């Protein structure tokens, strides 16, 4: 039984306990409350482990085979990569492009592999629409800030002039890439004794941290010196007009249905739920008016969990608190979250800078910005404020 099946079994047990208590019109006994809490904790633990293992598998997808250049046969290593490994081991620069301050740029094939792993490892980053920038300093994102009024029926020859629409308006949002930096240091000894090429180890770690920064920006970024997140209320992203407030102090099935139906069908078809595991756990016992559970697990690897028929993305960076006024979930079509970035990810290998500490440094730098560009494509669930 895999972990997804174990989780599904535990959820079935939780639902059975909940239904029995409802049927008998009573509260849980002390023993039942304890058992329920233990099973619920195990569900959260398994959910976290499943997410971690899926991410780890993606990040480790190329640890046994180095990226190769076009035309290079499987198992062969390019001259550039050989030179790069030699540089790590000996400090001999040879044909590498030398940067200022004792640094050297990594071969382009190495850098391109990191970008690929970022996209594979982050479901949210894989969904957003990306725009590479070359010479331009920013990306202008035109959007419809006010819709036109409906057309009017009129006579074949009207008595007065046809009125021009006065409500349609367009505005411009600007995405200006911000600087994202990660510095990792490893010991000289690790470079010498590692059984694997050390550049792969560092590639995995930098990928992991870039994934975290990108996903955190897409979810809860403030928009100031970083991307603007979908959980951040902003007139430049998802405004408060796209909020749906719960009817009570806890999430109910009707709240989720209302949130889903607040999206137009065109956006709903490609929408994804984004929420923390702690919030999703509360949704496991919710039923619709036909007594059907809203949440259904994906039992096989690669199958998404669904809520009201739409895939769920569990994000470690989505809000976890459920107090009055908190945002707890977003449903959106992430094709309307735009991501502008300067093409390429620069990685410098810093040899001399940390030599006195017997260390070698790797500094990764990316330039990116992102924001939701169409409010109507997103809806956000908010816990009802205290009276």
């Amino acid at each position: 039984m895999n972990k997804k099946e174990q989780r599904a079994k535990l959820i079935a047990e939780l639902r059975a306990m909940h239904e029995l208590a409802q049927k008998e019109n009573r509260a849980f006994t002390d023993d039942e409350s304890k058992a329920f809490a233990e099973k619920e904790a195990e569900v959260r633990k398994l959910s976290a482990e499943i997410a971690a293992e899926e991410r780890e598998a993606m990040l480790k997808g190329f640890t046994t085979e180095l990226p190769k250049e076009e035309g290079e046969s499987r198992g062969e290593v390019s001259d550039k990569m050989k030179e790069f490994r030699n540089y790590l081991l000996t400090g001999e620069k040879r044909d590498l492009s030398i940067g200022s301050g004792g640094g050297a740029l990594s071969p382009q094939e190495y850098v391109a592999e990191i970008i690929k792993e970022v996209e594979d490892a982050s479901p949210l980053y894989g969904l957003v629409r990306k725009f590479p920038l070359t010479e331009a300093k920013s990306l202008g994102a035109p959007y419809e800030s006010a819709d036109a009024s409906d057309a009017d029926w009129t006579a074949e020859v009207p008595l007065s002039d046809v009125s021009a629409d006065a409500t349609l308006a367009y505005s411009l949002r600007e995405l200006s890439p911000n600087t994202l930096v990660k510095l990792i240091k490893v010991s000289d000894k690790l470079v010498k004794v590692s059984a694997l090429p050390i550049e792969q180890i560092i590639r995995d770690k930098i990928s992991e941290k870039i994934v975290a920064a990108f996903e955190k920006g897409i979810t809860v970024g403030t928009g100031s010196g970083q991307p603007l997140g979908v959980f951040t209320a902003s007139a430049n992203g998802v405004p408060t007009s796209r909020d749906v407030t719960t009817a009570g102090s806890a999430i109910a099935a009707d709240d989720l249905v209302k949130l889903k139906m607040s999206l137009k069908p065109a956006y709903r078809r490609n929408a994804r739920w984004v929420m923390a595991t702690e919030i999703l756990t509360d949704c496991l016992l919710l039923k619709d008016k036909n007594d059907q559970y809203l949440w259904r697990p994906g039992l096989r690897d690669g199958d998404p969990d669904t809520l009201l028929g739409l895939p769920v993305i569990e994000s470690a960076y989505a809000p976890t608190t459920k107090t009055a006024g908190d945002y707890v979930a977003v449903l959106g079509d992430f094709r309307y979250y735009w991501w502008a970035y300067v093409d390429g990810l620069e990685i410098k290998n810093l040899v001399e800078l940390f030599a006195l500490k017997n260390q070698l440094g790797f500094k990764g730098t990316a330039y990116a910005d992102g924001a939701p560009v169409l409010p109507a494509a997103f809806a956000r669930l908010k816990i009802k404020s205290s009276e």
Side-chain angles (χ1 to χ4, degrees), residues 219-240:
T219 50
V220 294
T222 64
S224 178
Q226 59 184 274
L228 179 61
V230 292
F231 280 95
T232 302
S234 171
N236 294 320
V238 183
T240 55

Side-chain angles (χ1 to χ4, degrees), residues 45-122:
K45 179 173 178 289
L46 284 169
S47 292
E49 289 176 357
I50 290 167
E53 288 176 3
E54 289 178 347
R55 175 168 294 184
E56 182 72 10
M58 291 173 180
L59 289 173
K60 297 298 183 183
F62 294 87
T63 54
T64 58
E65 182 178 336
L66 288 171
K68 52 185 178 295
E69 295 179 331
E70 185 177 355
E72 189 179 357
S73 62
R74 181 176 295 273
E76 293 181 356
V77 180
S78 71
D79 290 339
K80 284 196 300 181
M81 189 58 76
K82 288 177 181 177
E83 291 169 3
F84 180 47
R85 290 182 183 175
N86 181 71
Y87 169 70
L88 292 175
L89 289 169
T90 67
E92 183 181 356
K93 297 180 175 64
R94 298 177 67 180
D95 292 336
L96 290 175
S97 302
I98 305 304
S100 60
L105 296 182
S106 301
Q108 184 59 44
E109 56 185 319
Y110 173 36
V111 173
E113 189 62 39
I114 295 180
I115 290 293
K116 184 178 188 302
E117 290 203 5
V118 168
E119 294 190 9
D120 284 348
S122 173

Side-chain angles (χ1 to χ4, degrees), residues 15-71:
R15 288 172 170 174
M17 293 177 65
H18 181 70
E19 289 175 353
L20 178 62
Q22 282 190 322
K23 182 178 180 181
E24 296 177 354
N25 195 26
R26 62 175 177 81
F28 282 154
T29 65
D30 290 343
D31 288 342
E32 287 174 332
S33 293
K34 181 180 178 181
F36 192 91
E38 290 174 350
K39 291 179 186 293
E40 188 177 44
E42 185 63 20
V43 167
R44 292 183 182 182
K45 179 173 178 289
L46 284 169
S47 292
E49 289 176 357
I50 290 167
E53 288 176 3
E54 289 178 347
R55 175 168 294 184
E56 182 72 10
M58 291 173 180
L59 289 173
K60 297 298 183 183
F62 294 87
T63 54
T64 58
E65 182 178 336
L66 288 171
K68 52 185 178 295
E69 295 179 331
E70 185 177 355

Side-chain angles (χ1 to χ4, degrees), residues 171-328:
S171 298
L172 187 71
R173 289 182 180 142
E174 185 178 10
L175 300 180
S176 301
N178 304 292
T179 304
L180 177 65
V181 176
K182 184 60 186 178
L183 172 63
I184 292 179
K185 297 182 290 183
V186 296
S187 69
D188 292 341
K189 181 179 180 181
L190 177 60
V191 174
K192 302 292 184 182
V193 304
S194 176
L196 290 173
I198 192 63
E199 69 271 15
Q200 290 187 349
I201 299 173
I202 302 305
R203 181 198 66 196
D204 291 342
K205 183 54 64 177
I206 292 179
S207 295
E208 176 187 331
K209 297 307 176 183
I210 289 175
V211 167
F214 284 1
E215 186 172 324
K216 187 173 183 179
I218 294 170
T219 50
V220 294
T222 64
S224 178
Q226 59 184 274
L228 179 61
V230 292
F231 280 95
T232 302
S234 171
N236 294 320
V238 183
T240 55
S241 60
R242 297 303 302 153
D243 292 349
V244 171
T245 303
T246 60
S249 58
I251 302 171
D254 285 350
D255 300 325
L256 297 179
V257 173
K258 185 178 178 182
L259 187 71
K260 177 180 176 179
M261 300 311 295
S262 70
L263 291 181
K264 294 180 179 179
Y267 307 132
R268 201 185 306 149
R269 283 194 294 269
N270 296 295
R272 300 289 189 275
W273 298 93
V274 179
M275 61 183 70
T277 300
E278 291 83 351
I279 305 301
L280 181 58
T281 304
D282 290 347
C283 300
L284 300 180
L285 303 178
L286 299 179
K287 292 183 176 182
D288 62 20
K289 296 186 183 300
N290 296 318
D291 205 35
Q292 299 296 311
Y293 286 104
L294 305 186
W295 182 85
R296 297 189 179 182
L299 299 180
R300 296 176 300 179
D301 290 341
D303 288 349
D305 300 332
T306 60
L307 186 63
L308 286 171
L310 298 175
V312 181
I313 294 176
E314 295 178 58
S315 174
Y317 302 101
T320 59
T321 57
K322 298 168 282 188
T323 55
D326 286 339
Y327 289 125
V328 290

